[in-house]
Amino acid sequence: MNFTVWFSDEFYGSPAFQGMMKVLGGHMATYGRRDIDGAEKYVGNFLFTPCPQDLERVVALYRSELKVAGDNFWKLTEHLKCMEQTPYLKTLPPLPAEVPLIMACGSLSPALIVQESAMRLCEIARNSSLAYIPDSKQWWSVEGDAEVKAVAYLLGEVLSFNGKHFDAKA
């Protein structure tokens, strides 16, 4: 899960927040137009890659998937509720201790949008852990075998949960 946009009270509504919402609005408009050429330009925002050839591989994969993406994908990405998420998430009750939660963030993911949001969710989860996927921004599933293995390990940690508190480390 790429959990994003649960902002601090200080940031939410600030001029910097408004500026970021303007940028995100432009991104969402790109998806609203189903602009594949425009959308492929965002790949570098979500992908860590050590070489240009790998970036080209993922851009080609993304383009091919966008060409066959269904209406629900385009509608979802056009209407991300960034403005509404922070107030809604602040109303969530604590998760019971019986619900294990690992928030896995790319070690290179944006701190403000991803990592701090994940920390806030962990604060309301009584049995949670924050783990970092090494050498990853957000798209761990296409960044490489090491990133996929790190996430698989974390899933194994959740599956092995047996009523006890756990501490997940990727």
Side-chain angles (χ1 to χ4, degrees), residues 2 8 10 57 89 120 122-123 142 144 146-147:
N2 284 323
S8 69
E10 297 79 23
R57 173 189 66 83
L89 292 168
R120 285 185 189 86
C122 282
E123 288 174 6
V142 294
E147 292 81 3

Side-chain angles (χ1 to χ4, degrees), residues 48 105-109 133-140 143 147:
F48 173 74
C105 300
S107 62
L108 305 172
S109 63
I133 304 163
D135 297 325
S136 175
K137 277 192 177 177
Q138 287 180 282
W139 285 1
W140 57 267
E143 288 173 326
E147 292 81 3

Side-chain angles (χ1 to χ4, degrees), residues 40-117:
E40 82 172 25
K41 294 175 184 169
Y42 305 139
V43 169
N45 293 342
F46 306 105
L47 174 76
F48 173 74
T49 178
C51 64
Q53 296 81 5
D54 203 36
L55 178 61
E56 293 166 7
R57 173 189 66 83
V58 174
V59 167
L61 175 65
Y62 192 52
R63 284 187 69 83
S64 68
E65 292 299 320
L66 288 175
K67 287 178 183 177
V68 298
D71 288 339
N72 286 340
F73 169 80
W74 294 104
K75 288 175 187 171
L76 173 68
T77 52
E78 178 186 9
H79 298 291
L80 294 174
K81 304 292 185 189
C82 297
M83 293 289 288
E84 295 88 0
Q85 282 188 16
T86 293
Y88 169 74
L89 292 168
K90 287 174 65 174
T91 68
L92 293 177
L95 288 173
E98 298 78 26
V99 178
L101 173 71
I102 296 177
M103 289 303 300
C105 300
S107 62
L108 305 172
S109 63
L112 177 69
I113 295 176
V114 178
Q115 295 181 21
E116 290 180 17
S117 297

Side-chain angles (χ1 to χ4, degrees), residues 10 14 20 28 36-37 49 52 66 70 77 84 102 104 129 134 150 156 158 165 167:
E10 297 79 23
S14 70
M20 185 168 56
M28 289 183 276
I36 293 172
D37 293 330
T49 178
L66 288 175
T77 52
E84 295 88 0
I102 296 177
S129 183
V158 170
H165 188 79
D167 184 24

Side-chain angles (χ1 to χ4, degrees), residues 147-160:
E147 292 81 3
V148 171
K149 288 176 183 174
V151 172
Y153 172 81
L154 294 171
L155 288 172
E157 290 293 298
V158 170
L159 293 174
S160 67

